[in-house]
Amino acid sequence: MRAISTLVALALILTKTLDYILAVTLQSIFILYIVHGIALIALPIVNKKLYESAIFRPGKFLVFGSGLFFICCMIAFSYKMIVQTWQLILICAAVGTGIFLYRKVRDFKSEVLSEAEKL
């Protein structure tokens, strides 16, 4: 199994696509951290019981401020990467959407056929 992953990594390096894959992966991590920042801001509002039960409970102003600062930093870090990899992101989104739609059409056809067999 290691030999296969090594060959895949070498192929990515030789075709110079490894940089794009690493950039997209890092961008997804930035998006995940942005969502974490949003969750931090929403915590005192959405789940007051959890916020009140915390051992260390900073003030709501500090929670909102740090969450907003965190989100702004992650957006600033990811801006350059989005500009560099937008073409690859669009290609991946198109492929993913195509696979999703293919499965939906296939499931719909099998559903129609099973309903027709019942009649």
Side-chain angles (χ1 to χ4, degrees):
M1 190 64 167
R2 284 187 178 184
I4 294 173
S5 61
T6 303
L7 290 175
V8 169
L10 283 174
L12 291 172
I13 291 171
L14 292 175
T15 58
K16 297 183 182 185
T17 55
L18 184 65
D19 292 338
Y20 290 114
I21 292 171
L22 291 174
V24 169
T25 304
L26 189 58
Q27 184 62 38
S28 65
I29 292 170
F30 285 151
I31 291 170
L32 181 67
Y33 287 161
I34 290 169
V35 172
H36 284 163
I38 293 169
L40 176 64
I41 290 173
L43 177 65
I45 299 166
V46 174
N47 199 344
K48 291 180 184 178
K49 185 177 179 182
L50 178 63
Y51 176 72
E52 296 295 329
S53 68
I55 295 171
F56 174 70
R57 186 178 48 247
K60 290 181 182 178
F61 180 74
L62 183 61
V63 170
F64 292 147
S66 61
L68 189 61
F69 176 74
F70 190 72
I71 291 170
C72 291
C73 289
M74 289 297 109
I75 289 172
F77 290 152
S78 68
Y79 175 74
K80 185 177 179 183
M81 293 188 70
I82 289 174
V83 170
Q84 290 177 346
T85 60
W86 69 271
Q87 293 169 332
L88 186 61
I89 291 171
L90 287 178
I91 290 170
C92 291
V95 169
T97 304
I99 292 170
F100 174 77
L101 291 175
Y102 169 75
R103 290 293 308 234
K104 282 292 189 183
V105 168
R106 194 177 86 181
D107 290 345
F108 178 75
K109 285 181 181 178
S110 66
E111 218 175 273
V112 168
L113 287 175
S114 68
E115 288 294 323
E117 288 175 357
K118 288 180 184 178
L119 296 175

